[in-house]
Structure formats: C-alpha cells, structure tokens
Amino acid sequence: MRLATAGCLAFSLMLAEGAGAQVIRFEGGDASPAASPAGRPLAEEAGAVDVALRQRQEATGAAGDRAEPSAPRPAALASLIPREPARIGTSILRQQGTQGRLEFEVFAADPGGAASLILAYRNSIAVLPEASSITLSVNDRDVARFAPRGFDGFVRETIPIPPGLLIQGLNRIVLEPQLAHRIYCSTEAWFQLWSDWNLSLSGLAVSHGADRPVLPDEFRAALRAMEGRAQPLVIRRDSTTLIDEKATLARLVGLLGAATGGSLPPVEPQHTHGLHRKTPSPARVTFLASDRSHVGFRRGGDGAAVLVIEYPPGQLADLDGLALLLPPEPAVGDPLPMLTPGRLQTLSSLGFEPFGSSATHSARTIRFRLPQDWLILTNEPATLTLVHAAMPGLVPGSQMVVRVNGEAIRLIRLDGSVPARDDPLEIRFEGRRLRPGINSLDFQVVLPSRFPDRPCPPDTMERFRISPTSTLHVPASPRMILPDLGRDLARVERMEFRISGDGLGLQAALGAMLAGKAPPGPGPAGSIELHVVDLEHLPLFLQERPGLSGLSVGAVLRPLRGQAGGPGDGSEERRRLPLGTREALRWLQLAFGPGQGPLEDWLRGRQGTALLASAGGTDPRRIWLVLGPDADPRQIAGALRAALTTPNGPRGEVALLGRDGRWQSWGSDHAWPRLLEPVSLANLRALVAAYVSWAPGLLVVAGLSVSWIVAIGAWLAIRTGRKRRHV
C-alpha cells in the first residue's frame, strides 16, 4: 500500500513538473484561457490598458515601472563633446603615437551630486603599462593618473570627481596619454602605439532624482556631442498621422540647427515603433500623436534626453513652441583663421602654438583660409620664414618635412649634416600650390633613436622646437575666380529635392548639413541653389548640360557589367591617331588651357555614388547633385560637410564622389579666369601674366600677331618707298 501511494505521488510530481511545458488548446466553449472565472477579460480585471500611455512609453523609451518620484535613478551619462570632431561615421576617437592630447567638454546639469567620469578605451598590445600613463584633468586641475590596460577590448575606467570641481554648464576635460613600447624605440614602433576612446560608452555620471527635468541646455549639449562623433539624431514619427511630413521635418531641422549654432548632427528619420539602436543615443526627437499641441523634454528609459512634439492627429505639428523653448544661438563663426594675401602674418595669428617633442615621430597641422576671389596662376612664390631649433647631436636621419596641401615643399635635416643657421630659414614655394578657400600647412618630424632595439627611455626633454613667430607671406592677386564647386557649396542657401521613393533621410541629412554650415568667407556675392535628383529625374539635369548624355552618367553611377575599370581620359581614341596628330593635339591642349578634355571622355571608366556638377553657363546660381541607386544619405552628407572644412573637397565644374569617399574633379577646356575688378594700370601686369600662365598659347599667338603686324608694316613701308623713288 505504501509502495502504491509513493508511486502515485511520484507520478503526480512528474505531471506537475511537465505542466509548464504543456500547451493546452480549447476547441470551443467558454473555457477560454483569456477569460477570468467571472467571464471578464484578464485585462479588465487587472485594470484597463491606457493605449495613449503605452504609445508615450514606446515613443520616449520610458519603462513601464511605476517608481516613486523621489526614488534615485541610475546615473545617466552626459556625453563627451570632442573639441575636434571625430572622423565621419564613427564614435571611436584614435590617438596615435607615444604622446597625445584629447580635449572634450561635458555638460553638468546638477554638479552638486556625486559625480564620476567613465572612460571606455582600449590600447594596442605593444603598450608597456608600467611605463605608460594617462593623465586626466578637469577644469585645468589634475584629477587622476592611471595606467592603460585595455588589451582585450574596451574597458571602463571610473574616476570619481572631487566635490566642488564641476560647474553647472560646460566643463573642460583633458586626457594626456603617454605610451611606451614594450620592446622597441623606433619610428616603426611609434605606429604600433595607439589608444581608442569609445565616446558612445564614455561620459559624466551624476546621480540625481528621477523627477529632475531635462534642461534645454542639456539637450543642446547632447546634440553637440552627437555632432562631434557623427552619431545620427533619430527622429521618430508616424507617417500615417503626421501631416506634411517633409515640410515639418525641414522646419524642425532648421530650428534645431539655429538652436545649436550650427552644431547639428546628421538626421535619421525612423518610424515611431522602429527598432532601437544598440548604441545608446544621448538625445532624440519624437513626434507623438496626442489630444493637444505641446513641445517639451522628457527623460527616456535609456537615459536619453527626448524632445517630444505632441500634435492632434490630422493637424499640422505646431513647432512655434520649439523656437521659444530652444531660442537660436549665435551662429558659429568660421573656426579657420583668414590669411590676408600681400601681408606678412605670423603662424601664431593662424592658431599655431609652439611645437616641440621628444617622440620618434610627431606632426602638427594648421589650417587657414584664403579669400575665395584670390587666384595665383603664375610662378610667383610664397614664402614661409621658419624659426626653429634642434638639439645638437641628433641621430643621423633626423629630419622635418614641410607640406602644403599634402605636397612636400621642403626637407630639413636636423641631424647636423647640413650646417645650422642662426637666422630664420626662408622656404620659397610656388604660390599656386595654395588655393582659394581652405588650405593646410603640415610639419612632420622624424627623430630616430640611438638604440632602436630597446625600449625608449623616459625622456621628456624637447629635441626640436618650431616657434609660432614664424611667418607666412602669400602674394596678392587681382580678384579673379575659376569655376569651383567647393566655393559654390559654401554659398548654398536653398535646396530642392526630386527623388523617387522615400527621400526623407537624405533631405533631413542635407538639411542638417545646411543648418551647420559656417558662413562663407570673402568672395563673390550671391547665394547658390542646390538641386538634388536621382537617375529617374536625370533629364532635368541634362537640360542644363547638353554636352552630357544620360548613358554616360548612368554608367558612372550604376556601372554596367564588363565595363573597363580604369579612368578614361580619351587616350584610347588618341592612340588610334597618327603620331604627329597626337603630338599636335597634346601641345595644343597644353598651350590653350589646362583643361582635362571632353567630359564624356573623363567620365568613361570611372565609378562613384554621386555626381556634383554646376549648371554650366545656363545659370551660375545653381548646382546639381545626382545620386546613384546605392547612395547612402549619411555618406553623401558627410562628404559634403567635410568638403566645407578640409582642402580635399570638390573642385572645377564637375566632381565625382568615388566609392572610397574621395572626390575626383574635372575642369573644362573652355573655362577661363573671370575678373571681378576693373582693369587698371595697377593690375594690368598681373592680369597679363595670369592669362598667359593659364594658356601659354596666348603668348605664342600674341607674339606671332605682333611679328606679322611689324612685318606687314615694314613691307608696306618698303613698298611705298620704292614707289616714290620710281616716281
């Protein structure tokens, strides 16, 4: 009997354990699993579900828990704002070499609470942690120094901030890595040392109450942080209830761009119930269908500052309150200093600070602007007067390379192989190496070690130094311009889109670029209109470029199978010509202008994702952007934004954005420099020299014409004299 009872109990336990895995289906009757014994749904018994509340929680990212207002919440990370924006498309900032300096800003809304700085980083395996260090300073006060140990991926270093050090608003954060190689001390070892800083996982953690509101300045700072690391600003909206979606998003981007002083990140529209990103975002915007029109800030469940724009379904979203909540900030001026041609300027006036180091490899770059109507076509030199010094007895091979816009103009020996001079070194280079707009001046120094197969000694004494009292002189020129797409981009004030399908992402991304554009420098007046089309609307573009066929543009942006991959310049057609004809054509092209041949020949064999072109002679106030079928809105907007701040942007009349993100520019044979000032005796000599340098054939034609005129005049004089003698 006892055995039977024990068996029944064991069998009952087995059934109880397996009940959780059973699926019981009811074919009919009232025995529904979704009904309570009283016949009411479980949702009604537990309380009605607030649909509007659920939409708000999904839109803002808020959790469904009901915490007390006074309950402390986990510290939200205030993002680090890089002083120098990171590379487009990444939130990881790399510091290369043995020494470095990274400067950030961080916003503290409530500095009174306990705060700590969280740094997510990794470093190369070649770093020797016992001889390396990373120094942290907050508001010009040293806070901590720690050894780098991020060898197996990103690690987090949590550093408490002393009380009273933070201020309400923006705080300055400086990191100074000092890295040493485990084995070697050579130039090759310098490139093996690096540290990566993950800005999306780093920030300032300040404990605060759950009921603390989101401040408008906190939202601005989050947008600046996202712009610095090229993280897109997600705009969630419901296309079924939001009326006039394109115009509403365009106005929103304009208001946010004005509110941040132009520091607006790329914009990415998403559906309200779209997938959440794995990487946390410090800020986002949500359009929320509601029974009222209201604009306000909320804290999302992931800690993000959320701008919530409520609107009644079937009505336009009212954005007037946003301008009051986030008033416009003064537009960010041009961060690059202006170099005045014809005047001697020190490098300190261009933002250059004393440059010296003891590392085996070091570099410094300064960028500056020249007026857009400055143009040098002759061999007239520019002069860099360099005030520098080097420690005597440096290892053979120590040298410094000076580059202008990426081209080397001088190699300076620092090892004593060339006798040192006490007076400054004058470096003359062709002024036409500079260009209107943005230019760069680079100093690259290599100092080999005496013992390259040993670790570097802990020596911080500078072995060379470049003084900011060095000067740069650029010759003046008459106010002249050539067709330049980079100059036109800086003057874009309006955009028009004609794209098939959903072009909201591209429209918002380019609108953000336009809002964050710095004002153009001195140059020709007038605004430019940018027309953005795809291949389906290509005939609109071809009407203004009659010499270009749709087949050639389609082959570039949508390559055909079996097409040749090399850049076409018309060389195949010229090879078929006789040798004398080929040489004659080549000399004629060099003599009558530095053009690149017909545009069709230049495009042949090239591939890209977008084509930027001027309207030719039809309308100089309009440029066109033709997009390929695989064009990425963020990549296109990033390339256009980089063209406004670097010297590697599009030039000429047509530019192709390659699949590697680089611009290839084409100039017409028929484009001549255009003078923007009256001809006078003061500029006549410079004008003649400029046009002759642009097209040397002019000098030949002018010389032959003068010779013919003199010869004909002499012949007429001789003939007239003979007739008189015969008479």
Side-chain angles (χ1 to χ4, degrees), residues 602-688:
W602 182 82
L603 287 175
R604 186 176 296 111
R606 299 179 187 267
Q607 297 181 6
T609 58
L611 186 71
L612 185 66
S614 62
T618 57
D619 191 352
R621 298 170 300 176
R622 187 159 48 193
I623 59 177
W624 292 79
L625 179 64
V626 184
L627 303 176
D630 56 346
D632 183 11
R634 289 181 56 190
Q635 181 189 13
I636 300 298
L640 293 178
R641 178 175 295 188
L644 299 174
T645 56
T646 63
N648 302 321
R651 301 289 172 182
E653 296 185 45
V654 177
L656 178 67
L657 181 61
R659 302 187 185 277
D660 57 354
R662 299 181 180 180
W663 291 98
Q664 308 170 43
S665 302
W666 172 85
S668 173
D669 298 335
H670 307 291
W672 284 74
R674 182 161 61 95
L675 185 64
L676 301 180
E677 64 181 30
V679 179
S680 62
L681 293 177
N683 61 10
L684 181 60
R685 180 175 176 272
L687 288 177
V688 173

Side-chain angles (χ1 to χ4, degrees), residues 372-678:
Q372 294 286 359
D373 53 6
W374 176 88
L375 186 63
I376 287 290
L377 301 174
T378 63
N379 291 330
E380 191 172 0
T383 304
L384 172 65
T385 304
L386 194 62
V387 180
H388 73 289
M391 181 183 295
L394 292 179
V395 178
S398 301
Q399 60 187 15
M400 174 170 57
V401 180
V402 183
R403 300 178 184 271
V404 172
N405 290 333
E407 298 183 22
I409 61 172
R410 189 65 177 265
L411 173 65
I412 304 173
R413 297 287 185 180
L414 303 177
D415 53 7
S417 58
V418 177
R421 303 172 55 180
D422 296 333
D423 54 338
L425 176 63
E426 285 194 358
I427 302 176
R428 293 177 175 267
F429 59 95
E430 294 178 345
R432 59 186 178 186
R433 291 180 182 266
L434 299 170
R435 61 187 62 169
I438 303 175
N439 295 267
S440 64
L441 178 63
D442 303 278
F443 300 98
Q444 297 179 352
V445 182
V446 177
L447 302 175
S449 174
R450 293 188 180 275
F451 306 100
D453 54 348
R454 302 179 186 177
C456 293
D459 183 13
T460 59
M461 181 180 298
E462 292 183 352
R463 293 191 280 174
F464 78 94
R465 188 176 183 85
I466 299 178
S467 173
T469 58
S470 304
T471 59
L472 178 61
H473 177 268
V474 174
S477 73
R479 296 182 60 238
M480 305 172 66
I481 60 172
L482 279 170
D484 189 351
L485 288 171
R487 180 184 64 245
D488 294 340
L489 274 179
R491 296 162 53 202
V492 169
E493 299 292 341
R494 183 175 176 272
M495 297 185 185
E496 182 176 338
F497 296 83
R498 296 186 181 181
I499 303 175
S500 302
D502 185 11
L504 288 178
L506 179 66
Q507 180 179 354
L510 293 182
M513 180 210 71
L514 182 61
K517 181 174 62 67
S527 60
I528 298 294
E529 183 176 327
L530 176 63
H531 291 255
V532 184
V533 297
D534 54 9
L535 292 181
E536 295 187 10
H537 296 83
L538 189 59
L540 298 174
F541 165 66
L542 297 179
Q543 291 177 1
E544 300 192 356
R545 279 282 179 181
L548 193 61
S549 66
L551 183 61
S552 60
V553 177
V556 171
L557 301 180
R558 186 172 48 202
L560 302 177
R561 294 183 179 180
Q563 187 178 2
D569 57 355
S571 58
E572 295 182 0
E573 288 78 1
R574 294 175 186 175
R575 289 195 192 100
R576 302 192 189 102
L577 299 175
L579 179 61
T581 307
R582 292 203 309 265
E583 294 296 328
L585 288 176
R586 187 171 66 88
W587 281 105
L588 284 175
Q589 182 178 357
L590 292 176
F592 290 96
Q596 297 171 275
L599 180 56
E600 294 270 358
D601 294 341
W602 182 82
L603 287 175
R604 186 176 296 111
R606 299 179 187 267
Q607 297 181 6
T609 58
L611 186 71
L612 185 66
S614 62
T618 57
D619 191 352
R621 298 170 300 176
R622 187 159 48 193
I623 59 177
W624 292 79
L625 179 64
V626 184
L627 303 176
D630 56 346
D632 183 11
R634 289 181 56 190
Q635 181 189 13
I636 300 298
L640 293 178
R641 178 175 295 188
L644 299 174
T645 56
T646 63
N648 302 321
R651 301 289 172 182
E653 296 185 45
V654 177
L656 178 67
L657 181 61
R659 302 187 185 277
D660 57 354
R662 299 181 180 180
W663 291 98
Q664 308 170 43
S665 302
W666 172 85
S668 173
D669 298 335
H670 307 291
W672 284 74
R674 182 161 61 95
L675 185 64
L676 301 180
E677 64 181 30

Side-chain angles (χ1 to χ4, degrees), residues 185-367:
C185 183
S186 61
T187 306
E188 293 78 9
W190 185 91
F191 289 97
Q192 297 176 4
L193 297 175
W194 50 263
S195 59
D196 288 342
W197 302 85
N198 194 331
L199 302 184
S200 61
L201 301 179
S202 304
L204 180 67
V206 180
S207 300
H208 54 77
D211 55 348
R212 185 185 68 82
V214 178
L215 302 179
D217 289 340
E218 184 178 358
F219 185 76
R220 295 181 203 260
L223 293 183
R224 288 185 55 198
M226 297 170 66
E227 190 269 341
R229 64 194 190 205
Q231 183 177 4
L233 172 65
V234 174
I235 300 179
R236 295 181 179 174
R237 88 284 185 214
D238 188 356
S239 302
T240 59
T241 59
L242 186 61
I243 296 180
D244 200 1
E245 188 175 7
K246 292 185 178 181
T248 302
L249 291 183
R251 188 184 178 198
L252 172 66
V253 169
L255 291 174
L256 292 180
T260 56
S263 300
L264 188 64
V267 177
E268 182 178 324
Q270 288 185 359
H271 196 271
T272 303
H273 307 291
L275 297 177
H276 294 262
R277 289 179 169 269
K278 295 182 179 180
T279 304
S281 177
R284 62 176 173 268
V285 179
T286 295
F287 284 90
L288 184 63
S290 176
D291 56 354
R292 62 172 183 171
S293 294
H294 181 263
V295 179
F297 293 107
R298 300 178 188 176
R299 179 73 63 184
D302 55 355
V306 185
L307 172 62
V308 181
I309 303 174
E310 301 182 45
Y311 63 96
Q315 298 183 16
L316 290 174
D318 187 8
L319 299 180
D320 295 337
L322 181 59
L324 300 176
L325 193 62
L326 289 174
E329 283 190 346
V332 178
D334 191 353
L336 300 182
M338 178 65 67
L339 178 64
T340 304
R343 192 179 73 180
L344 190 67
Q345 289 189 230
T346 61
L347 296 188
S348 60
S349 65
L350 302 179
F352 184 79
E353 298 180 353
F355 176 38
S357 176
S358 61
T360 57
H361 186 281
S362 55
R364 178 71 62 85
T365 300
I366 57 174
R367 290 183 297 163

Side-chain angles (χ1 to χ4, degrees), residues 78-81 104-108 166 169-173 203-204:
S79 300
L80 299 179
I81 306 172
F104 304 93
E105 290 179 339
V106 66
F107 183 85
L166 295 176
L170 293 177
N171 296 263
R172 187 184 182 191
I173 307 294
L204 180 67

